Amino acid sequence: MTSVQGTAVDIATEDGTADAYLARPGDGLPRPGVLLYQDAFGLRPHLRSMADRLAAAGYTVLVPNVFYRHGRTPVFDLPEFIDLGTRPEIWQQIAPVLQALTPELAMRDAGAYLRWLADSPLVADGPVAVTGYCMGARLTLRTAGAYPERVAAAAGFHGGQLATDAPDSPHLAAEHITAELYFGHADNDPSLPPEQMARLEEALTTAGVRHHCEVYPGAHHGFTQADTASYQKEGDERHWAALLDLLQRTF
């Protein structure tokens, strides 16, 4: 573990400016880059703490506000502890913003995030890793397929709607992916039922993608997010072990 520095940065995109959080080891040396995609609740203190933990392990981590078209962080008025069971109105704020981020817009933005990492003196030369949570797992899968030359490893945790019947389902990117992938699925997750898990597994296997998918027993959708009612300590610790193992094998 090493000291960490965290700063706010702005990223120029084709559609404006995305605010972001950058965490890196305090020595200022270039380190392997990691693009960390948020969940639907957005860039907030918990996401920054996750980036800090990765930075302490020796990586330069960028966490963009993928909802920047709707304003700078914080996009939503969130409580310190998020429980949709008692505060369902929170989702009413989030849903239209989430739906407005189309795959086309998201991947256009992904190009900007990856270019920013490539140009940063704090990031080592070469491809980067991507990790994402909930909706961020979808963005991770899409990014690995859209930018195979830039993504060496990709991980997603408690992702939803990864392998639907839609013509633009994220799993259809499998044929373009060259990175090694890891997915940690939540057990009994209504946003990723068993048939979607199987469809994702089949697509990755058929495409010859190096991958490993696991179901975390008893874990709810959102199990890595300690500031939410979905948090599960066991699943979170398992996620960190799997993610760091993937990064260590890659860089």
Side-chain angles (χ1 to χ4, degrees), residues 9-51:
V9 298
D10 284 342
I11 301 171
T13 75
E14 293 185 34
D15 299 319
T17 301
D19 56 300
Y21 178 72
L22 182 73
R24 76 278 190 192
D27 57 16
L29 297 175
R31 301 298 184 100
V34 178
L35 173 60
L36 192 159
Y37 280 127
Q38 63 179 61
D39 62 3
F41 297 127
L43 180 52
R44 59 195 192 280
H46 177 63
L47 269 293
R48 295 185 182 93
S49 70
M50 295 180 76

Side-chain angles (χ1 to χ4, degrees), residues 7-12 16-21 38 41-44 48 64-77 97:
T7 55
V9 298
D10 284 342
I11 301 171
T17 301
D19 56 300
Y21 178 72
Q38 63 179 61
F41 297 127
L43 180 52
R44 59 195 192 280
R48 295 185 182 93
N65 165 24
V66 303
F67 296 146
Y68 70 89
R69 292 176 180 84
H70 300 268
R72 297 179 69 87
T73 302
V75 177
F76 310 117
D77 181 19
V97 175

Side-chain angles (χ1 to χ4, degrees), residues 60-155:
T60 296
V61 187
L62 181 69
V63 192
N65 165 24
V66 303
F67 296 146
Y68 70 89
R69 292 176 180 84
H70 300 268
R72 297 179 69 87
T73 302
V75 177
F76 310 117
D77 181 19
L78 298 173
E80 290 186 12
F81 184 77
I82 304 166
D83 184 353
L84 294 180
T86 60
R87 295 283 304 278
E89 72 278 5
I90 294 173
W91 188 247
Q92 296 173 5
Q93 300 178 50
I94 295 171
V97 175
L98 176 60
Q99 292 167 3
L101 185 64
T102 65
E104 293 76 18
L105 291 177
M107 289 305 96
R108 196 157 73 205
D109 292 341
Y113 306 149
L114 293 171
R115 285 192 296 274
W116 193 94
L117 287 168
D119 292 341
S120 173
L122 296 171
V123 179
D125 292 339
V128 303
V130 185
T131 186
Y133 302 86
C134 300
M135 63 161 281
R138 292 198 298 275
L139 298 180
T140 290
L141 186 54
R142 293 190 188 280
T143 301
Y147 300 93
E149 74 287 353
R150 290 292 299 131
V151 180

Side-chain angles (χ1 to χ4, degrees), residues 1 41 66 110 118 148 154 160 163 168 171 175-176 182 188 205 215-216:
M1 303 292 282
F41 297 127
V66 303
D168 61 350
H171 79 286
E175 63 181 307
H176 305 294
Y182 176 90
N188 299 314
T205 299
V215 178
Y216 288 25

